[in-house]
Amino acid sequence: MPILQDKTILLTGLLSNRSIAFGIGKALKREGATLAFTYAGEAMKSRVEKLAPELGGGLIMSMDVTQQDEIDGVFAKLGREWGGIDGVVHSIGYAPRESIAGDFLDGLSRSSFMTAMDISAYSFAALGKAARPLMKGRNASMLTLTYLGAVRALPNYNTMGIAKAALEANVRYMAASLGPEGTRVNGISAGPIKTLAAAGIAGFSTMLKNFAAANPLRRNITADEVGNVAAFLMSDWASAMTGEILYVDNGFSQMATGLDDGGVKPSE
Ligand code: NAD
Ligand code: 0WE
C-alpha cells in the first residue's frame, strides 16, 4: 500500500535528473503523493517544466528563496489550489564558490557568509513560517537536506558547513515551534552524490572514490536511496519522529576511519 496517498507535498530544489530532489520526487510520487514544484528564478523554469511530468506533474511556481514576495506567492497559491499542505521538502543550498574551496579563512567574507546563510539556512525557517497556517492540524511534515560538514570540519566545505550547522539547529527549533500544531520537522544528512551542485567542486570525483572505500557498504549512495528515506519521513509511519537528523550515508559518519588498516600508510 502506498504510504503518501492523499498527501499534498511541495517539492523544492529540482534542477536536473541527478538532483536529490528528483530522487525524492520519484519516491514521493511512487508512494501516491500529489506534488507541486518550485524553481529558483526564470532561468530555471524550463528545466523544472521538463522534469515535473516524470514526477506526475502539478503546479510549477517561481521561488527564489532570497525573495520574500516569491515565498509568500507560492503559499498563497497553494492555499487557493490545495486548501492545505501536508509536506514541504527543502532541497536548496548555495554558497559563493570561493567560500567552499581551499583554506576556510582565506575564502571567508561577510557577504559570502550571509549569502550562504540566507539561501541554505534561513530559507528553511522562512518556508516553515509561510507554510505554517496551511500545515496546521494535518500531521504535516517538513524535510531538509544537510551534510556531515555541519558537525565536523571537512576539507573545502567551509562556509557551507556553518550554514548547515545553522540549518540543523533550525530543524530543532522549528520542530519545537510547529510540534504543538502536529507538524514534524526533520533533516536527512546525505553522503556525497554527484549532482549539479557537486559537479562544480574541484576534486569531487576523488572524494566519491574515497567515500566508497571508507564506508561500511563500500559503495556510493544514490538520490533514490535518499528518496526512500524522505518518503518515510514525509509519511505517517514517522509520526513520532521530529527534530531529527537521519544519516543516509552508508554508515560513513559512524566510523572512525572506515579503512581496514585504520588509515595508516605502510611507510608510517
Ligand atoms: P542541485 O544542484 O541539484 O540542487 C540544488 C538546488 O538549490 C537547485 O535546485 C537550485 O535551484 C537550488 N537553489 C540555489 N539557490 C536557490 C535560491 N536562491 N532559491 C531557490 N532555490 C535555490 O544539488 P543537490 O546536491 O541535489 O542539492 C540539494 C540539497 O542537498 C542541498 O541542500 C545540498 O546542500 C544537499 N546535499 C547535497 C549533497 C551532495 O553531495 N550532492 C550531500 C548532502 C546534502
Ligand atoms: O551541500 C553541498 C554542495 C552545495 C553547494 C554547491 C555549490 C557549487 C556551485 C553550494 N554552493 C555551491 N556554489 C557554487 O558556486 N554538498 C553536500 C555537496 C558537496 O559540496 C562540497 C563537498 C560536498 C560533498 C564542497 C566541498 C567539499 C565537499
Side-chain angles (χ1 to χ4, degrees), residues 13 15 19-20 40 63-65 91-92 145-146 164 190-193 195 197:
L15 187 62
S19 289
I20 294 178
M63 188 173 72
D64 176 339
V65 293
S91 187
I92 292 169
L145 275 299
T146 183
K164 290 299 196 192
I193 299 175
T195 60

Side-chain angles (χ1 to χ4, degrees), residues 93-97 100 147 155-157 160 164 192 197-198 201 204 207:
Y94 177 81
R97 190 173 296 272
I100 53 167
Y147 181 58
N156 302 313
Y157 202 61
M160 268 309 284
K164 290 299 196 192
I201 286 143
F204 198 81
M207 238 197 63

Side-chain angles (χ1 to χ4, degrees), residues 24 88-92 120-121 123-124 142-146 164 167-168 170-171 174 185-190 226 233-234 244-246:
I24 293 174
V88 176
V89 176
H90 175 274
S91 187
I92 292 169
S120 313
S123 65
F124 189 46
M142 295 190 70
L143 176 67
T144 190
L145 275 299
T146 183
K164 290 299 196 192
L167 178 68
E168 292 187 7
N170 226 334
V171 167
M174 288 168 67
V185 185
N186 294 289
I188 290 176
S189 186
V226 175
L233 284 173
M234 300 313 286
E244 294 271 12
I245 306 295
L246 274 73

Side-chain angles (χ1 to χ4, degrees), residues 21-67:
F22 191 69
I24 293 174
K26 281 189 286 178
L28 298 181
K29 184 203 174 217
R30 181 190 76 222
E31 297 302 333
T34 299
L35 301 180
F37 311 90
T38 63
Y39 54 87
E42 286 310 309
M44 306 295 151
K45 182 177 186 180
S46 64
R47 301 186 73 114
V48 176
E49 282 175 340
K50 258 191 234 122
L51 296 166
E54 289 183 62
L55 305 175
L59 264 183
I60 301 174
M61 295 160 285
S62 179
M63 188 173 72
D64 176 339
V65 293
T66 64
Q67 306 301 311

